[in-house]
């Protein structure tokens, strides 16, 4: 998939690079999970042929995709994998930098909301000892941690973009 | 819906599109708008609880697992460069007919699309292989770019179409049925594109003829790749496996093929995993935040209000359907296909049902419509992508892409007037 934003790499601010490095680290957890994702589904495919579909696969893969989505969410903002319309910046280059800063501010705001809301949700699940309805009885606290972790990654990347705004040059 | 709630919805929607226009990442714009909407109804604290709760409910879905699996397949295919054999095979068999290389490009795009389910991946991968070959044979820049951009759109229609997976989950329509419903329209569109390519360029360009031995060698080399889309379609049609299971089998197959051919090593697999995780995150976050926004609009009973209002529109179902097509096209010029699906389907789907369209038929029509949006000047994603990988200015493709758009528009109305084109295979498939 082509990069949605072929902007200049973050440069100048060491802090911005450090924040991006932190989100990259979180992202690699998502990379590991997506490479593992086919395994339980393949197992389910084989078991299904013998009319014994393992229910745990449906549950755990659901958790896995949530973790993948949120673990890779922050770093995707720096690699240009998140779609955005860069038409205005292209037509009016003078606006590109302020718009990139605004984008960083709103990314950080969204990350903060997700971090707080996700923490509240996960803490609530922990306090009430919420478990899944299946035989596995997975404590919901663990998979729900994906939200605050994702929120943190988006917040960090947003802060990085406030410090060193990325100026996109391609609409996608 | 009270006037105040209605006004606030309109305002929030306008702000959301305003943020998108300012270049804010689409999932952030949708997420903030959805949160603001919930906060207006319930207050900020309760909105936080609902926001994550709705996100959790929308993303915790086994059918969505299909998305990262096929995205990973696409990235592994891209890394293993198996498109080379596919194009070489198509070139060997069809290259010597009038404008045959152009037809080979369309066929390669169709087969490639049936593996990756992604329009930009198809355009990039086939484009990098075919653009230089087309230039060598004397195809003008405008036609080269249009061929790749137009052919690449087949990725949205042919199974495993990623927007159709999102549509299926949103509308609770069988994804297997949707995949099957796209087979005839996809093949028909491939044929229409091919006929157009044969006729378009005069004097016709003929590549050198290949001997039967060369053709068979090329076919042998490409056969394992051609087998994959055939497996995907047949296995779902015959009810052997579900679409999600097909995704896992496709990953294993491409991985095995790439390793056996020496095209995939640990570094390339890791790179494919990285691209797949980042791309899946983009799609899933748009789906998740879009679902929260859809829940917010459903709380205001907006889809029902719109469907009721549209029922009274003069001109009947055809006029209403045309209005959907035009609205979708305009929005699709600026929005990515996944975002377009998630934002518009909660509104359009009840309308489509109110005018008597089958959910499967409507899904396929929407997919074809999104194909047009991908190549719609001036900002269609495929046009921009092809321009960026080839250096062909966008302005040179703007006229040559119009016939592809016209063919797709004809296809949309063919699907409207002849529902059998979409509903025949789903009616005869075995359900898993």
């Amino acid at each position: 998939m082509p990069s949605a934003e072929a902007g200049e790499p973050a440069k100048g601010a060491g802090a911005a690079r450090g924040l991006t490095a932190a989100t990259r680290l979180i992202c690699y957890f998502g990379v590991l999970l997506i490479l593992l994702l086919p395994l339980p589904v393949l197992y389910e495919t084989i078991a299904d042929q013998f009319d014994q579909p393992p229910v745990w696969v449906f549950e755990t893969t659901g958790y896995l995709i949530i973790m993948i989505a949120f673990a890779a969410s922050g770093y995707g903002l720096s690699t240009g994998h998140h779609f955005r319309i860069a038409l205005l910046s292209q037509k009016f280059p003078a606006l590109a930098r302020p718009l990139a800063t605004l984008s960083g501010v709103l990314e950080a705001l969204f990350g903060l909301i997700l971090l707080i809301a996700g923490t509240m949700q996960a803490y609530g699940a922990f306090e009430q000892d919420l478990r899944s309805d299946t035989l596995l009885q997975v404590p919901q606290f663990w998979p729900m941690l994906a939200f605050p972790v994702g929120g943190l990654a988006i917040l960090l990347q947003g802060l990085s973009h406030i410090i060193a705004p990325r100026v996109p040059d391609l609409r996608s | 819906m009270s006037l105040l709630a209605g006004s606030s919805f309109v305002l929030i929607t306008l702000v959301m599109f305003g943020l998108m226009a300012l270049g804010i990442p689409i999932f952030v714009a949708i997420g903030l708008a959805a949160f603001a909407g919930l906060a207006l109804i319930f207050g900020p604290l309760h909105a936080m609880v609902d926001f994550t709760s709705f996100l959790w409910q929308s993303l915790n879905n086994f059918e969505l697992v299909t998305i990262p699996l096929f995205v990973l397949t696409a990235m592994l295919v891209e890394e293993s460069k198996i498109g080379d054999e596919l194009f070489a095979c198509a070139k060997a068999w069809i290259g010597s007919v009038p404008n045959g290389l152009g037809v080979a490009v369309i066929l390669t795009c169709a087969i490639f699309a049936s593996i990756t389910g992604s329009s930009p991946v198809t355009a990039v991968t086939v484009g990098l292989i075919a653009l230089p070959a087309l230039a060598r044979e004397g195809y003008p820049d405008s036609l080269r770019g249009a061929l790749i951009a137009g052919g690449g759109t087949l990725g949205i229609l042919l199974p495993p179409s990623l927007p159709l997976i999102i549509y299926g989950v949103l509308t609770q329509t069988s994804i297997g049925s949707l995949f099957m419903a796209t087979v005839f329209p996809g093949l028909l569109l491939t044929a229409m594109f091919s006929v157009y390519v044969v006729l378009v360029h005069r004097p016709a360009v003929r590549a050198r003829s290949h001997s039967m031995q060369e053709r068979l060698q090329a076919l042998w080399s490409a056969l394992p790749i051609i087998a994959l889309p055939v497996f995907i379609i047949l296995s779902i049609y015959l009810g052997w496996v579900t679409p999600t299971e097909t995704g896992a089998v496709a990953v294993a197959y491409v991985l095995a093929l790439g390793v056996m051919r020496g095209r995939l090593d640990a570094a390339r697999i890791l790179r494919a995993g990285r691209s797949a995780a980042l791309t899946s995150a983009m799609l899933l976050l748009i789906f998740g935040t879009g679902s929260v926004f859809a829940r917010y609009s459903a709380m205001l009973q907006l889809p029902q209000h719109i469907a009721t209002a549209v029922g009274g529109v003069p001109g009947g179902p055809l006029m209403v359907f045309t209005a959907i097509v035009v609205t979708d096209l305009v929005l699709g010029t600026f929005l990515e296909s996944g975002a377009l699906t998630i934002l518009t389907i909660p509104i359009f789907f009840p309308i489509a049902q109110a005018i008597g369209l089958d959910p499967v038929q409507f899904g396929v029509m929407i997919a074809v419509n999104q194909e047009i949006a991908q190549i719609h000047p001036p900002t269609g994603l495929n046009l921009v992508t092809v321009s960026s990988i080839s250096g062909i200015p966008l302005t040179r493709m703007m006229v040559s892409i119009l016939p592809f758009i016209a063919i797709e528009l004809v296809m949309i109305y063919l699907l409207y007037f002849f529902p059998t084109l979409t509903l025949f295979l789903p009616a005869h498939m075995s359900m898993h």
Side-chain angles (χ1 to χ4, degrees):
Chain A
M1 178 99 31
S3 171
E5 177 193 335
E8 295 166 13
K11 56 186 177 184
R17 281 201 298 269
L19 292 169
T20 301
T23 63
R24 189 187 305 127
L25 200 65
I26 299 171
C27 172
Y28 274 102
F29 181 59
V31 176
L32 177 72
L33 293 182
I34 204 166
L35 290 174
L36 293 175
L37 182 66
L39 296 177
V41 185
L42 278 173
Y43 173 73
E44 188 269 337
T45 308
I46 295 164
D48 203 13
Q49 301 305 312
F50 296 100
D51 291 325
Q52 290 184 324
V55 181
W56 63 267
V57 172
F58 300 111
E59 184 178 357
T60 50
T61 50
Y63 299 151
L64 279 180
I65 59 165
I66 293 176
M67 289 177 188
I68 292 165
F70 285 93
S73 59
Y75 187 52
L77 288 167
S78 82
T79 58
H81 279 79
H82 288 292
F83 281 97
R84 61 174 87 210
I85 301 163
L87 213 55
L88 211 57
S89 310
Q90 287 172 344
K91 293 284 173 203
F92 307 100
L95 291 176
R97 200 172 171 82
L99 287 177
T101 308
L102 175 69
S103 179
V105 170
L106 293 176
E107 287 161 19
L109 176 66
F110 180 74
L112 187 65
I113 291 171
L114 196 60
L115 175 62
I116 296 171
T119 306
M120 283 165 56
Q121 189 194 34
Y123 182 71
F126 176 73
E127 231 185 13
Q128 295 167 43
D129 194 25
L130 283 184
R131 287 168 187 269
S132 62
D133 298 332
T134 60
L135 282 175
L136 282 181
Q137 297 252 304
V138 175
Q140 297 292 278
F141 161 73
W142 287 108
M144 281 178 180
L145 276 180
F147 290 158
V149 170
L152 179 67
I154 295 168
L155 172 63
L156 293 178
Q157 199 57 61
L159 291 174
S160 164
H161 290 164
I162 294 170
I163 298 167
R166 287 177 57 86
V167 181
D169 60 8
L170 181 70
R171 181 255 137 173
S172 67
Chain B
M1 181 168 59
S2 72
L3 190 63
L4 187 65
S7 315
S8 63
F9 178 83
V10 171
L11 187 67
I12 284 173
T13 307
L14 286 176
V15 170
M16 178 177 76
F17 282 115
L19 290 179
M20 288 179 191
L22 290 175
I24 309 305
I26 284 174
F27 84 91
V28 173
I30 301 174
L32 287 175
F35 179 76
L38 292 175
L40 277 178
I41 298 177
F42 301 115
L45 197 67
H46 198 256
M48 286 207 178
V49 177
D50 280 342
F51 187 77
T52 45
S53 172
F54 292 160
L55 258 185
W56 178 263
Q57 287 164 23
S58 63
L59 288 172
N60 194 359
N61 184 329
F62 184 64
E63 288 188 314
L64 282 180
V65 176
T66 318
I67 292 178
L69 289 175
F70 276 114
V71 170
L72 181 58
T73 306
M75 298 309 162
L76 287 169
V77 163
E78 203 173 13
E79 282 293 334
S80 57
K81 310 251 179 280
I82 58 177
D84 298 27
E85 283 96 338
L86 211 53
F87 184 58
C89 177
K91 200 167 66 172
W93 283 88
I94 322 164
S96 56
V97 304
N99 296 331
L101 205 58
V103 180
V105 167
I106 298 295
L107 288 183
T108 308
C109 282
I111 296 172
F112 213 80
S114 311
I115 300 171
T116 64
S118 163
S119 172
V121 169
T122 303
V124 168
T125 313
V126 179
L128 288 173
I129 306 161
L131 282 165
L134 287 166
R136 279 196 299 274
E137 296 293 337
Y139 284 79
D141 281 357
S142 56
L143 184 58
R144 284 193 303 139
L147 270 171
I148 303 293
T153 61
L154 292 168
I156 286 187
L157 184 62
L158 286 163
S161 157
L162 298 180
L164 275 179
I165 297 171
I166 294 176
Y167 173 90
V169 174
L170 274 177
T171 61
Q172 297 185 326
T173 307
S174 156
I175 293 171
S177 297
L178 285 166
F179 280 2
M180 285 305 107
T182 62
V183 173
F184 285 154
L187 293 178
L188 193 56
L189 207 51
T190 306
M192 288 161 82
F193 280 168
S194 300
V195 169
Y196 164 71
V197 172
V198 168
L199 298 175
V200 64
H201 190 46
R202 287 289 176 265
V205 180
R206 283 172 193 266
R208 81 168 178 88
S209 182
H210 290 72
S211 68
M212 186 49 76
Q213 194 187 355
E214 284 175 316
R215 287 178 179 179
L216 289 174
Q217 265 176 352
L219 180 64
W220 179 250
S221 187
L223 205 56
I225 304 140
I226 298 170
L228 185 54
V230 174
F231 165 78
I232 290 173
I233 291 169
L234 271 186
S235 62
I236 296 173
Y237 181 74
L238 296 173
W240 294 340
V241 288
T242 64
T244 309
E245 292 167 347
T246 313
V249 175
V251 170
Y253 184 83
V254 172
L255 199 60
L257 193 64
V259 170
M260 280 195 299
R261 292 195 168 183
R263 307 276 183 83
L264 284 176
D265 53 21
R268 283 177 181 271
I269 293 168
L270 195 65
R271 207 158 51 217
R274 177 185 173 277
S275 298
L278 291 166
T279 305
S280 301
M282 178 270 291
L283 289 169
L284 291 169
L285 281 182
I286 287 175
F287 179 85
T289 51
S291 296
V292 180
F293 191 81
R295 290 283 282 266
Y296 160 57
S297 67
M299 281 174 186
L300 304 175
Q301 295 187 314
L302 195 76
Q304 292 89 328
H305 284 292
I306 292 178
T308 310
V310 165
V313 168
L318 183 60
M319 190 59 80
V320 173
F321 175 68
T322 302
I324 291 177
V325 169
V326 172
T327 312
D328 212 40
L329 270 183
V330 172
L331 291 174
T333 308
F334 299 98
L335 282 175
E336 181 272 332
S337 53
L340 182 64
T341 307
I342 188 82
L343 285 177
T344 57
I345 289 307
I347 307 288
F348 289 161
F349 188 68
I351 298 173
Q353 289 200 305
I355 60 172
L357 291 175
D358 185 275
V360 171
Q361 179 196 10
F362 183 62
V364 179
M365 289 192 287
I366 285 291
V368 177
N369 213 26
Q370 293 190 357
E371 285 189 323
I372 300 175
Q374 298 275 316
I375 51 175
H376 196 292
T379 56
L381 178 57
N382 272 19
L383 280 186
V384 176
T385 305
V386 171
S387 174
S388 71
I389 62 166
S390 65
I392 301 171
L394 266 175
T395 44
R396 277 209 205 156
M397 291 187 272
M398 281 189 184
V399 175
S400 55
I401 200 67
L402 293 179
F404 287 89
I405 293 177
I407 290 169
E408 305 219 44
L409 275 174
V410 169
M411 173 56 75
I412 288 182
Y413 284 94
L414 277 178
L415 298 178
Y416 179 83
F417 288 112
F418 302 101
T420 312
L421 282 171
T422 47
L423 301 180
F424 179 79
L425 279 183
H428 291 85
M429 68 188 278
S430 307
M431 297 304 282
H432 183 74

